[in-house]
Amino acid sequence: MAILKILKYGDPVLRQKAKEVSKISKKIRILIENMLDTMYAANGVGLAAPQIGESLRIFVIDVSAENEPYKPLVFVNPKIIKKEGAICVKEGCLSFPEAYVNVRRYSDVMVKALDINGKPFIMEAKNGELLAYAIQHENDHLDGVLFVDHSRNIFEATEVLKANNLPQLEDDKLLNEEDLESIILENEAKNKEEGR
Ligand code: NI
């Protein structure tokens, strides 16, 4: 198997909308295996096909802890079919080395996809667990959306990108997430009141 080159922020492929996979051929299966090898070699939690220059609707995730055996998850032609709740999380991305930024995400998602054998499945991730926001992060890559577009604090994001010699935020890509922001603010106020 092979370790592929990961495209960095600024590469136009990362902004393209990826195409559906029409058939899980041997070539696609090899691509998926190589994506997993590449993700593990880079110590990543997830990797989407556009990040290795293939504009296809495929991503892989592994949220197992360091001392646990690998638990690779493969998503082909995924669709998020339910999303609710909101959280603020600090995310990174293999296409943004060393840059970690606070972003807004749904806390609960349900995704439907095909596995590496073309078998459909549904997966649910809840309560703001890593899998919940990893699914959203990777699924975004398939639509040319990047985690920094969800930045909760654009001043912070600007500084982090600058400090890591990465291209700046693209103003026209920033997402308006007032609904998520108000839920996050409400939860923060609640936690403060409860002394958490
Ligand atoms: Ni990413």
Side-chain angles (χ1 to χ4, degrees), residues 66-77:
E66 255 176 68
N67 54 350
E68 286 174 359
Y70 284 162
K71 196 173 174 257
L73 302 173
V74 174
F75 302 76
V76 178
N77 296 343

Side-chain angles (χ1 to χ4, degrees), residues 51 93 137 141:
Q51 290 181 277
C93 175
H137 178 120
H141 273 299

